[in-house]
Amino acid sequence: MIITLTANPSLDRTIELAAPLARGAVQRATANRQESGGKGVNVCRALSAGGADTLAILPGHDNDPVLVGLQAAGVPYRNLPIAAALRSNVTITEPDGTTTKINEPGPALNRQEADALIDLVVHLSDGARWLVLAGSLPPGLESDFYAAVVRAVRTRHGDRAPLIALDASEAALIAAIEGGAAPDLLKPNAEELSQLTGLGAGDSLEDEQELAVEAATRLLGRGIGAVLATLGSKGALLVTAEGAWHAQHPPITAISTVGAGDSALAGYLLAHTGGAGAPDCLRQAVAHGSAAASLPGSTVPAMHQTTPDAVTVRALTPANTSPNHP
């Protein structure tokens, strides 16, 4: 079982344009889609499409459109009932694949709801193989919320605790790592990798793979088990105590990049739970991410839509660290 936690889920609307976005003008859309989203929800949707035993945990009242959408899609979930409606996000895609996102902040959660959400995760993660903590935090939650979740799960389950994957950004990401969360798998993009380590600038690490490996290696030295760094069109890196690898898919026609990183994480987890080694976990991650980028909106790929055989994987300088690869 792979459990995902999405503290700030959303109803994702994607609007497709036939021409570049023109600010201040009136344009007609050629198509629109609506899907239940949020990073953890997207991971769970991709895992479910890949045939994995998975469960999404999220807040939301029983008839919220996000939960209705998950039910209609056949994605298993457990929700913590709250009174407020979940947020809606809007994505605008242009013909060349340029993607513009407008994300709402989400409903505020109070301390009691935050504690109840942690309790639900602790309860449902008993016996799970992986726990995925992903996405932004809604108003009301402290920035160290993910660190609190990790402590609660590991304290309750001890050696039986699931492996933990973390995919967050900005204050939530920094607070989790500085708070000692030490996930078994961290999935930053290039900008987040730079933000955590001070190496590179912005997304420059997409072009500087050696520096990206150095940055990831520094994170291993802080107790993180493995770093899966997505590098946009430049593929992805996987750095563990056993080595470092880069993988890239042949060029694709990008339709929407929304959820591509989430699908990459799902691809890694699908391969890992299937017994694959590190290079093949990376291969499936890149195959999943590339397939997602070639699909409209936040659509996640099924396994048959991915092409792992097309992905090139090469070994890089190994990381000189001691943590074990999950």
Side-chain angles (χ1 to χ4, degrees):
M1 170 73 77
I2 301 175
I3 305 291
T4 72
L5 170 63
T6 310
N8 202 18
S10 59
L11 186 67
D12 289 347
R13 292 189 59 216
T14 301
I15 300 171
E16 299 178 19
L17 299 179
L21 177 65
R23 294 182 61 194
V26 175
Q27 291 179 263
R28 295 189 182 277
T30 58
N32 69 85
R33 303 175 63 88
Q34 182 169 288
E35 292 160 315
S36 300
K39 294 187 73 64
V41 167
N42 291 340
V43 171
C44 193
R45 289 169 50 225
L47 289 169
S48 181
D53 185 13
T54 187
L55 178 72
I57 300 175
L58 66 163
H61 58 74
D62 292 343
N63 61 347
D64 190 280
V66 174
L67 302 183
V68 172
L70 287 176
Q71 185 174 17
V75 178
Y77 68 88
R78 282 286 298 276
N79 61 301
L80 174 73
I82 61 173
L86 297 174
R87 62 181 178 150
S88 295
N89 295 337
V90 176
T91 298
I92 300 172
T93 61
E94 301 175 46
D96 65 354
T98 298
T99 300
T100 303
K101 289 201 69 178
I102 303 172
N103 291 347
E104 294 183 354
L109 299 185
N110 59 38
R111 181 59 182 269
Q112 291 72 29
E113 290 168 331
D115 290 343
L117 193 57
I118 293 175
D119 288 344
L120 186 62
V121 172
V122 170
H123 171 65
L124 293 174
S125 64
D126 187 14
R129 181 79 177 275
W130 280 92
L131 168 61
V132 179
L133 310 177
S136 64
L137 298 178
L141 293 191
E142 299 293 336
S143 60
D144 65 349
F145 176 76
Y146 285 136
V149 174
V150 172
R151 286 193 298 270
V153 169
R154 288 177 172 167
T155 298
R156 175 68 65 85
H157 300 307
D159 293 341
R160 297 182 61 254
L163 296 169
I164 294 176
L166 174 65
D167 183 4
S169 61
E170 301 175 347
L173 173 61
I174 294 171
I177 301 304
E178 292 183 348
D184 299 285
L185 177 68
L186 179 67
K187 198 218 73 64
N189 59 29
E191 184 175 1
E192 292 157 355
L193 189 58
S194 174
Q195 185 180 33
L196 282 173
T197 63
L199 294 178
D203 57 6
S204 65
L205 294 184
E206 291 184 3
D207 298 312
E208 302 178 54
Q209 293 176 12
E210 291 184 1
L211 192 59
V213 170
E214 181 182 345
T217 301
R218 289 189 184 185
L219 293 175
L220 297 193
R222 300 174 67 175
I224 294 169
V227 177
L228 172 64
T230 50
L231 306 176
S233 63
K234 302 300 175 63
L237 292 173
L238 177 63
V239 181
T240 78
E242 298 156 3
W245 299 266
H246 173 261
Q248 190 159 12
H249 192 282
I252 62 166
T253 300
I255 295 177
S256 172
T257 58
V258 178
D262 307 329
S263 289
L265 177 54
Y268 179 99
L269 297 175
L270 286 166
H272 182 270
T273 54
D280 285 333
C281 288
L282 176 60
R283 184 188 305 277
Q284 191 60 54
V286 170
H288 255 76
S290 297
S294 68
L295 297 172
S298 57
T299 304
V300 297
M303 190 66 77
H304 73 271
Q305 294 173 297
T306 71
T307 51
D309 290 343
V311 177
T312 301
V313 180
R314 62 187 181 91
L316 302 174
T317 304
N320 297 315
T321 51
S322 58
N324 295 320
H325 166 58

